[in-house]
Amino acid sequence: MTPQDRAMMARATAAPVGEVAAEHLAVAVAIGERLVKEAVWSGERCNWVGAEPVDLRDRVGALTYRALGPNLYVGSSGVALFLAQLATTTGQDEFRRTALAATRHAISRRDDVSPAARLGFYSGWAGMAAAALRTGRLLDSAELVDAGSGLLRDIAQQLSGVAEGGEQEYDLMSGVAGAVPAFALGYRYTGDERMAEAAVTAALWLGRSARKSRTGWSWRSPGLRNQHDLTGLSHGAAGVAVAFLEAYRLTGEEMFATGARNAMRYEDRWLDVGEGNWPDFRENTADRRARTFVTLWCHGAPGIALSRLYAYELLGEARWRHDAMTALATTERVTRPLTNGGGADFSLCHGLAGNAEPFEEAREVLGAAGTVIPRLGADAIGMDIPRLVADHGLERYARTGVSWPCGTHTAETPNLMLGLAGIGYFYLRLAVPQVPSALLPVRWDR
C-alpha cells in the first residue's frame, strides 16, 4: 500500500486518523469494495453466494455453497451492517447503495428464518430488525427504520405466544435473550413504548424459565445436547446476563440486575482457576464426561469477558471486574501465540478478530487507549492484542493477496460472523473506535 493510498484513506474518514488507523481503514475499504463487486443484484435488492460449513465443529469438514440467508450471523443483514458503517465513515455512495439493497433482501426473506429461531439476535428476526434500524439511521433511510420497527412489532406478537408457555430457546444467538437488546434499541430509536414493554416481557420470561439454585440461575436448551446448562455468551448464561443488564439499563428495576448477577454466579460456579476459563458443556462425542475449554467469542473467556465488562460498567461491582480480568488474561494467553504463525481463523465468531474484541471493549469501559489494565497479581494485561492481530492480518493477508482464513475453516465467505464482512468490521472498528461492537450489541444507539 502506497503512502498516497494511506493519505486518501485518511481524508475519507470522518475524523483525522493516524497512519496506522488509515491503513486499518484501507483494509476495511478494500474488503467493502470486494463485497460491492461480488454482490448479485435483482432490481433494488442484492445478495451474495458464500461458503458455509455443514458442521461448525468439524475443522476439516464439508462446505456448502449457497445464497446467503437473511440473518445477522451468516446472512445479508450482517453484510449490510458492515457496509452501512463503512459508508458512514467514508462517504462512498457504492457502500450506501449496496447496504440499502442488502437490507431490503434480508427483510424480503424474513420467512426463511425458522420460527424456532426468530426471537434470537444473531440467528433470528431480532438481530435483523436491529441491523435494519441501525442501517436505516446511519444512512438516513426512513424505509429501513420502518422495516426494522415493523419486524420488531411482529417479534413482539410472537413473544406473546412464548410468554403463555411452550418450549423455546433462551439464548442470545437464537432465543429470547436475543430479543431484549433488539427491543431496547427499537425503543431508543423510535420512542415506541410497546418496544420497551416487549423488552421487559422477554426479560421476565427469562427470569421465570431459569433453573434456580443456591449457586445461581441457568437455562436448559431444548436444541442442544450438553453435560450441564451452558456457560458462555452465544448459547449460555452470559448472554442471558447481558439481556438482563439491558432490561436493567432500560427500566432501572433491581430485579433485572439481580437476574444478571444470578446468571453470572452460575457460570462462576464452574470457573476453573487453573484454566482461567469457564467450561464448554456442549456434549463431547468422544467422551461425554470430558471437560472442554475453548477461548472464543461464542464459548469461553472472550465472550464472558464482554459480559463481565458490561456488568461492571452498569453495576460497578468489583466482582465482575475481577471476572473480566481473569477472562482477558486467558484470552491474551491463548491469542498472543496465534499472531506469530499462519492459518489461525480470523473470524468474529471463533477467530482472532473475535478474540481481540474484549480488549477494545476494555478500553471503552476501563480506560482510554494505551491504558495498562492491572492483572489479578502484580503484572499487567497487555492491551496490544488488537494491534497484534491487525498487524498479523496486514502482513499475511492484506498486503499479500492471500485469502483470509474465515470461520468456515477452509474457504472465504462474505458474511459477518464467519467471513469477510466481520474481518472488515474488525479493521473498521480499530480505525474508528466510535463504531460499536458487533459482538456486544448494547451501544448500537450511539
Side-chain angles (χ1 to χ4, degrees), residues 147-188:
S149 300
L151 189 53
L152 280 178
R153 288 191 290 271
D154 290 344
I155 300 168
Q157 289 292 323
Q158 181 165 332
L159 181 64
S160 65
V162 171
E164 294 170 4
E167 197 171 69
Q168 171 66 44
E169 290 288 357
Y170 68 90
D171 63 2
L172 185 67
M173 179 75 75
S174 304
V176 176
V180 178
F183 283 128
L185 179 69
Y187 171 69
R188 295 187 186 107

Short mmCIF file of all heavy atoms in Angstrom, two decimals, residues 147-188:
data_model
loop_
_atom_site.label_atom_id
_atom_site.label_comp_id
_atom_site.label_asym_id
_atom_site.label_seq_id
_atom_site.Cartn_x
_atom_site.Cartn_y
_atom_site.Cartn_z
N ALA A 147 -38.98 -0.59 8.31
CA ALA A 147 -38.93 -2.04 8.15
C ALA A 147 -38.46 -2.72 9.43
O ALA A 147 -39.02 -3.74 9.86
CB ALA A 147 -38.01 -2.41 6.99
N GLY A 148 -37.42 -2.16 10.06
CA GLY A 148 -36.94 -2.73 11.32
C GLY A 148 -37.96 -2.62 12.42
O GLY A 148 -38.16 -3.57 13.20
N SER A 149 -38.65 -1.49 12.49
CA SER A 149 -39.68 -1.31 13.52
C SER A 149 -40.82 -2.28 13.30
O SER A 149 -41.34 -2.87 14.26
CB SER A 149 -40.20 0.13 13.47
OG SER A 149 -39.17 1.06 13.71
N GLY A 150 -41.23 -2.45 12.05
CA GLY A 150 -42.30 -3.39 11.77
C GLY A 150 -41.94 -4.82 12.13
O GLY A 150 -42.77 -5.57 12.66
N LEU A 151 -40.69 -5.19 11.85
CA LEU A 151 -40.25 -6.54 12.19
C LEU A 151 -40.24 -6.73 13.70
O LEU A 151 -40.63 -7.80 14.22
CB LEU A 151 -38.87 -6.80 11.59
CG LEU A 151 -38.34 -8.23 11.66
CD1 LEU A 151 -39.34 -9.22 11.09
CD2 LEU A 151 -37.01 -8.32 10.90
N LEU A 152 -39.83 -5.71 14.46
CA LEU A 152 -39.86 -5.81 15.92
C LEU A 152 -41.29 -5.98 16.43
O LEU A 152 -41.54 -6.73 17.38
CB LEU A 152 -39.22 -4.57 16.54
CG LEU A 152 -37.70 -4.54 16.60
CD1 LEU A 152 -37.23 -3.22 17.20
CD2 LEU A 152 -37.14 -5.71 17.41
N ARG A 153 -42.24 -5.28 15.83
CA ARG A 153 -43.63 -5.44 16.26
C ARG A 153 -44.11 -6.87 16.01
O ARG A 153 -44.85 -7.44 16.83
CB ARG A 153 -44.52 -4.43 15.54
CG ARG A 153 -44.33 -2.99 16.04
CD ARG A 153 -45.39 -2.06 15.52
NE ARG A 153 -45.27 -1.83 14.09
CZ ARG A 153 -44.53 -0.86 13.55
NH1 ARG A 153 -43.85 -0.03 14.34
NH2 ARG A 153 -44.48 -0.69 12.24
N ASP A 154 -43.68 -7.46 14.90
CA ASP A 154 -44.04 -8.85 14.63
C ASP A 154 -43.39 -9.80 15.63
O ASP A 154 -43.99 -10.81 16.03
CB ASP A 154 -43.64 -9.23 13.21
CG ASP A 154 -44.49 -8.52 12.16
OD1 ASP A 154 -45.56 -8.00 12.52
OD2 ASP A 154 -44.07 -8.49 10.98
N ILE A 155 -42.15 -9.51 16.03
CA ILE A 155 -41.49 -10.32 17.06
C ILE A 155 -42.24 -10.22 18.37
O ILE A 155 -42.39 -11.22 19.10
CB ILE A 155 -40.02 -9.88 17.25
CG1 ILE A 155 -39.24 -10.02 15.94
CG2 ILE A 155 -39.34 -10.72 18.33
CD1 ILE A 155 -37.89 -9.33 15.97
N ALA A 156 -42.72 -9.04 18.70
CA ALA A 156 -43.49 -8.87 19.94
C ALA A 156 -44.74 -9.74 19.94
O ALA A 156 -45.12 -10.29 20.98
CB ALA A 156 -43.86 -7.40 20.13
N GLN A 157 -45.36 -9.88 18.77
CA GLN A 157 -46.52 -10.76 18.67
C GLN A 157 -46.13 -12.21 18.94
O GLN A 157 -46.83 -12.94 19.63
CB GLN A 157 -47.15 -10.64 17.28
CG GLN A 157 -47.85 -9.33 17.02
CD GLN A 157 -49.10 -9.17 17.87
OE1 GLN A 157 -49.83 -10.13 18.13
NE2 GLN A 157 -49.35 -7.95 18.34
N GLN A 158 -44.99 -12.63 18.38
CA GLN A 158 -44.53 -13.99 18.63
C GLN A 158 -44.16 -14.18 20.09
O GLN A 158 -44.40 -15.24 20.67
CB GLN A 158 -43.33 -14.31 17.73
CG GLN A 158 -42.81 -15.73 17.92
CD GLN A 158 -41.88 -16.17 16.81
OE1 GLN A 158 -41.97 -15.70 15.68
NE2 GLN A 158 -40.97 -17.08 17.11
N LEU A 159 -43.58 -13.15 20.70
CA LEU A 159 -43.18 -13.23 22.09
C LEU A 159 -44.38 -13.44 23.00
O LEU A 159 -44.30 -14.15 24.01
CB LEU A 159 -42.44 -11.96 22.49
CG LEU A 159 -41.91 -11.88 23.92
CD1 LEU A 159 -40.85 -12.96 24.17
CD2 LEU A 159 -41.32 -10.50 24.19
N SER A 160 -45.52 -12.85 22.65
CA SER A 160 -46.70 -13.01 23.49
C SER A 160 -47.12 -14.47 23.56
O SER A 160 -47.59 -14.95 24.59
CB SER A 160 -47.85 -12.15 22.96
OG SER A 160 -48.26 -12.59 21.67
N GLY A 161 -46.92 -15.22 22.46
CA GLY A 161 -47.21 -16.65 22.49
C GLY A 161 -46.23 -17.42 23.35
O GLY A 161 -46.62 -18.34 24.08
N VAL A 162 -44.96 -17.03 23.29
CA VAL A 162 -43.94 -17.69 24.12
C VAL A 162 -44.24 -17.46 25.59
O VAL A 162 -44.10 -18.36 26.43
CB VAL A 162 -42.54 -17.15 23.77
CG1 VAL A 162 -41.50 -17.64 24.76
CG2 VAL A 162 -42.17 -17.56 22.36
N ALA A 163 -44.68 -16.25 25.93
CA ALA A 163 -44.94 -15.92 27.33
C ALA A 163 -46.05 -16.78 27.93
O ALA A 163 -46.13 -16.96 29.14
CB ALA A 163 -45.30 -14.44 27.44
N GLU A 164 -46.90 -17.33 27.07
CA GLU A 164 -48.00 -18.16 27.55
C GLU A 164 -47.59 -19.60 27.81
O GLU A 164 -48.37 -20.39 28.33
CB GLU A 164 -49.14 -18.11 26.54
CG GLU A 164 -49.78 -16.73 26.40
CD GLU A 164 -50.73 -16.65 25.23
OE1 GLU A 164 -50.94 -17.70 24.57
OE2 GLU A 164 -51.26 -15.56 24.96
N GLY A 165 -46.38 -19.96 27.42
CA GLY A 165 -45.91 -21.32 27.68
C GLY A 165 -45.30 -21.94 26.44
O GLY A 165 -45.27 -21.33 25.37
N GLY A 166 -44.85 -23.16 26.56
CA GLY A 166 -44.24 -23.84 25.43
C GLY A 166 -42.72 -23.80 25.49
O GLY A 166 -42.13 -22.96 26.15
N GLU A 167 -42.10 -24.70 24.74
CA GLU A 167 -40.65 -24.83 24.73
C GLU A 167 -40.05 -23.79 23.80
O GLU A 167 -40.51 -23.61 22.68
CB GLU A 167 -40.27 -26.24 24.28
CG GLU A 167 -38.86 -26.63 24.60
CD GLU A 167 -38.62 -28.11 24.32
OE1 GLU A 167 -38.63 -28.47 23.13
OE2 GLU A 167 -38.44 -28.88 25.28
N GLN A 168 -39.01 -23.11 24.26
CA GLN A 168 -38.42 -22.02 23.48
C GLN A 168 -36.95 -21.89 23.85
O GLN A 168 -36.58 -22.01 25.00
CB GLN A 168 -39.15 -20.71 23.78
CG GLN A 168 -38.52 -19.47 23.20
CD GLN A 168 -38.53 -19.43 21.68
OE1 GLN A 168 -39.55 -19.76 21.08
NE2 GLN A 168 -37.43 -19.05 21.07
N GLU A 169 -36.11 -21.65 22.83
CA GLU A 169 -34.71 -21.36 23.10
C GLU A 169 -34.60 -20.07 23.91
O GLU A 169 -35.38 -19.14 23.72
CB GLU A 169 -33.92 -21.23 21.81
CG GLU A 169 -33.71 -22.53 21.05
CD GLU A 169 -32.73 -23.46 21.72
OE1 GLU A 169 -32.14 -23.09 22.76
OE2 GLU A 169 -32.54 -24.57 21.19
N TYR A 170 -33.63 -20.04 24.79
CA TYR A 170 -33.48 -18.89 25.70
C TYR A 170 -32.33 -17.99 25.32
O TYR A 170 -32.23 -16.86 25.79
CB TYR A 170 -33.23 -19.39 27.13
CG TYR A 170 -31.88 -20.06 27.28
CD1 TYR A 170 -30.76 -19.31 27.63
CD2 TYR A 170 -31.70 -21.41 27.02
CE1 TYR A 170 -29.51 -19.90 27.73
CE2 TYR A 170 -30.46 -22.00 27.12
CZ TYR A 170 -29.37 -21.25 27.47
OH TYR A 170 -28.14 -21.84 27.55
N ASP A 171 -31.40 -18.42 24.47
CA ASP A 171 -30.07 -17.82 24.40
C ASP A 171 -30.01 -16.55 23.55
O ASP A 171 -30.99 -16.15 22.91
CB ASP A 171 -29.05 -18.85 23.91
CG ASP A 171 -29.33 -19.35 22.49
OD1 ASP A 171 -30.29 -18.88 21.86
OD2 ASP A 171 -28.57 -20.22 22.02
N LEU A 172 -28.85 -15.91 23.56
CA LEU A 172 -28.63 -14.69 22.79
C LEU A 172 -28.64 -14.98 21.30
O LEU A 172 -29.17 -14.20 20.50
CB LEU A 172 -27.30 -14.06 23.20
CG LEU A 172 -26.94 -12.70 22.60
CD1 LEU A 172 -27.88 -11.62 23.10
CD2 LEU A 172 -25.49 -12.33 22.92
N MET A 173 -28.08 -16.09 20.90
CA MET A 173 -27.95 -16.42 19.49
C MET A 173 -29.31 -16.64 18.84
O MET A 173 -29.63 -16.01 17.82
CB MET A 173 -27.10 -17.69 19.33
CG MET A 173 -26.94 -18.15 17.90
SD MET A 173 -25.78 -17.16 16.94
CE MET A 173 -24.23 -17.73 17.61
N SER A 174 -30.13 -17.51 19.41
CA SER A 174 -31.36 -17.95 18.75
C SER A 174 -32.61 -17.82 19.60
O SER A 174 -33.68 -18.23 19.15
CB SER A 174 -31.21 -19.44 18.35
OG SER A 174 -30.09 -19.65 17.55
N GLY A 175 -32.51 -17.27 20.81
CA GLY A 175 -33.62 -17.33 21.73
C GLY A 175 -34.06 -16.00 22.30
O GLY A 175 -33.71 -14.92 21.80
N VAL A 176 -34.81 -16.09 23.38
CA VAL A 176 -35.48 -14.93 23.98
C VAL A 176 -34.49 -13.87 24.44
O VAL A 176 -34.76 -12.67 24.35
CB VAL A 176 -36.39 -15.39 25.14
CG1 VAL A 176 -37.02 -14.20 25.85
CG2 VAL A 176 -37.49 -16.32 24.62
N ALA A 177 -33.33 -14.28 24.93
CA ALA A 177 -32.34 -13.30 25.37
C ALA A 177 -31.95 -12.35 24.23
O ALA A 177 -31.67 -11.18 24.46
CB ALA A 177 -31.09 -13.99 25.92
N GLY A 178 -31.94 -12.86 23.00
CA GLY A 178 -31.58 -12.02 21.87
C GLY A 178 -32.60 -10.94 21.55
O GLY A 178 -32.27 -9.92 20.94
N ALA A 179 -33.85 -11.16 21.97
CA ALA A 179 -34.90 -10.17 21.69
C ALA A 179 -34.75 -8.93 22.57
O ALA A 179 -35.16 -7.84 22.16
CB ALA A 179 -36.28 -10.80 21.90
N VAL A 180 -34.18 -9.07 23.76
CA VAL A 180 -34.14 -7.95 24.71
C VAL A 180 -33.32 -6.78 24.17
O VAL A 180 -33.82 -5.64 24.13
CB VAL A 180 -33.64 -8.40 26.09
CG1 VAL A 180 -33.56 -7.22 27.05
CG2 VAL A 180 -34.56 -9.48 26.66
N PRO A 181 -32.05 -6.96 23.73
CA PRO A 181 -31.32 -5.79 23.21
C PRO A 181 -31.94 -5.22 21.94
O PRO A 181 -31.86 -4.02 21.70
CB PRO A 181 -29.91 -6.34 22.95
CG PRO A 181 -30.05 -7.82 22.91
CD PRO A 181 -31.20 -8.16 23.80
N ALA A 182 -32.60 -6.06 21.14
CA ALA A 182 -33.25 -5.55 19.93
C ALA A 182 -34.43 -4.65 20.29
O ALA A 182 -34.60 -3.56 19.72
CB ALA A 182 -33.70 -6.71 19.05
N PHE A 183 -35.26 -5.09 21.23
CA PHE A 183 -36.39 -4.25 21.66
C PHE A 183 -35.90 -2.97 22.33
O PHE A 183 -36.48 -1.89 22.13
CB PHE A 183 -37.30 -5.03 22.61
CG PHE A 183 -38.20 -6.02 21.93
CD1 PHE A 183 -38.24 -7.34 22.36
CD2 PHE A 183 -39.03 -5.63 20.89
CE1 PHE A 183 -39.08 -8.26 21.75
CE2 PHE A 183 -39.87 -6.54 20.27
CZ PHE A 183 -39.90 -7.86 20.70
N ALA A 184 -34.84 -3.08 23.13
CA ALA A 184 -34.31 -1.88 23.79
C ALA A 184 -33.82 -0.88 22.76
O ALA A 184 -34.06 0.33 22.88
CB ALA A 184 -33.18 -2.27 24.75
N LEU A 185 -33.13 -1.37 21.72
CA LEU A 185 -32.67 -0.48 20.66
C LEU A 185 -33.86 0.14 19.94
O LEU A 185 -33.87 1.35 19.64
CB LEU A 185 -31.81 -1.26 19.67
CG LEU A 185 -31.28 -0.46 18.48
CD1 LEU A 185 -30.24 0.55 18.93
CD2 LEU A 185 -30.69 -1.39 17.42
N GLY A 186 -34.88 -0.68 19.66
CA GLY A 186 -36.07 -0.16 18.99
C GLY A 186 -36.72 0.95 19.78
O GLY A 186 -37.16 1.97 19.21
N TYR A 187 -36.78 0.78 21.09
CA TYR A 187 -37.37 1.84 21.92
C TYR A 187 -36.53 3.11 21.87
O TYR A 187 -37.07 4.22 21.73
CB TYR A 187 -37.51 1.35 23.36
CG TYR A 187 -37.90 2.45 24.31
CD1 TYR A 187 -39.18 3.01 24.26
CD2 TYR A 187 -37.00 2.95 25.24
CE1 TYR A 187 -39.54 4.04 25.12
CE2 TYR A 187 -37.34 3.97 26.10
CZ TYR A 187 -38.62 4.52 26.04
OH TYR A 187 -38.96 5.54 26.88
N ARG A 188 -35.21 2.97 21.95
CA ARG A 188 -34.36 4.16 21.95
C ARG A 188 -34.41 4.88 20.60
O ARG A 188 -34.28 6.10 20.55
CB ARG A 188 -32.93 3.76 22.30
CG ARG A 188 -32.79 3.23 23.73
CD ARG A 188 -31.35 3.00 24.12
NE ARG A 188 -31.28 2.36 25.42
CZ ARG A 188 -30.96 1.10 25.63
NH1 ARG A 188 -30.63 0.33 24.61
NH2 ARG A 188 -30.94 0.59 26.84
#
